Amino acid sequence: MRTISKFCISALVASTLVFTGCQQYIQPQEQTTTPVVEAPNQFNLQGKIGVRTPQQSGSAFFTWVQEQDEFDIELSGILGVGKTQINGKPGAVSLQSAKTGLIMAATPEELLERATGWQAPITHLVKWVQAKPATAHAQLSKDESGRATQIIEDGWVVDLSYDNNATLPNKLILKQALETGKENRITMIIQNR
């Protein structure tokens, strides 16, 4: 079996980091009706992620446990080969793998940049997997059932797909246009929620 290049590992780490993060707090606007209280960000996802950049591509299986603003992500190749563990809570994010050793940072974005050189608003993915925009300035497209089908936010276009009448997406395609006319693309398939 061929060894995955260091860059490919970095791309997979970057894609994994896309799943991490603390939530941005947006001050609610004053309402005249009873405010709706949103449930905390709590979920457990399993699936597969693929990353394609102009230089490299790769894929991995993931398990992502989110408990409000703390998370635990495990990334592995076929048959569990090349396991990477990413953990985070406010102010402390760490990545541990046999290839990279331990990398630590204060934010998921900082960890992503240290590990791969990428800059991206990766904390947004916690909302995106729930079919919600992360900020008030996001552009949102919906289908006839009112489900989000596309979110354009902070330099990324996120296309969401659903199984039948499901209310949460089972597939997300994240695209970041590059100045060269090419793109970075991350495809996330959620097999279990």
Side-chain angles (χ1 to χ4, degrees):
M1 183 182 283
R2 238 171 78 189
T3 304
I4 298 175
S5 72
K6 185 176 180 180
F7 182 81
C8 188
I9 294 288
S10 295
L12 288 173
V13 168
S15 64
T16 303
L17 289 173
V18 168
F19 302 127
T20 64
C22 305
Q23 291 302 292
Q24 177 179 353
Y25 178 74
I26 299 171
Q27 181 70 31
Q29 296 178 347
E30 214 172 289
Q31 298 178 353
T32 57
T33 60
T34 305
V36 176
V37 177
E38 202 171 295
N41 295 314
Q42 187 170 346
F43 51 82
N44 187 340
L45 305 178
Q46 294 176 332
K48 187 173 182 181
I49 184 166
V51 176
R52 188 174 71 213
T53 71
Q55 297 81 21
Q56 204 58 263
S57 64
S59 64
F61 295 98
F62 71 87
T63 301
W64 174 11
V65 178
Q66 184 79 31
E67 295 281 340
Q68 297 180 21
D69 56 2
E70 296 185 14
F71 60 88
D72 182 22
I73 296 169
E74 184 177 292
L75 194 101
S76 63
I78 297 173
L79 301 177
V81 175
K83 189 181 290 187
T84 298
Q85 193 73 35
I86 302 171
N87 303 94
K89 60 184 178 182
V93 184
S94 66
L95 178 148
Q96 177 74 47
S97 78
K99 298 282 184 187
T100 64
L102 178 65
I103 301 173
M104 299 182 74
T107 67
E109 285 83 1
E110 181 185 335
L111 185 63
L112 173 67
E113 190 164 3
R114 282 187 188 177
T116 68
W118 281 22
Q119 291 183 344
I122 57 176
T123 57
H124 293 357
L125 197 62
V126 173
K127 290 293 188 185
W128 292 346
V129 298
Q130 298 177 78
K132 299 175 184 176
T135 65
H137 66 269
Q139 297 174 28
L140 187 64
S141 299
K142 295 183 177 185
D143 64 12
E144 62 280 348
S145 300
R147 301 178 299 189
T149 57
Q150 187 177 72
I151 301 169
I152 301 173
E153 194 165 16
D154 291 337
W156 289 85
V157 175
V158 182
D159 293 317
L160 300 98
S161 302
Y162 300 81
D163 274 337
N164 302 315
N165 294 325
T167 57
L168 294 173
N170 68 318
K171 184 176 181 180
L172 290 85
I173 299 175
L174 293 76
K175 297 173 278 191
Q176 179 187 41
L178 303 174
E179 291 178 5
T180 61
K182 297 182 180 182
E183 69 180 9
N184 291 327
R185 179 183 288 243
I186 299 168
T187 302
M188 179 179 173
I189 298 171
I190 300 169
Q191 297 165 332
N192 293 309
R193 284 192 177 265

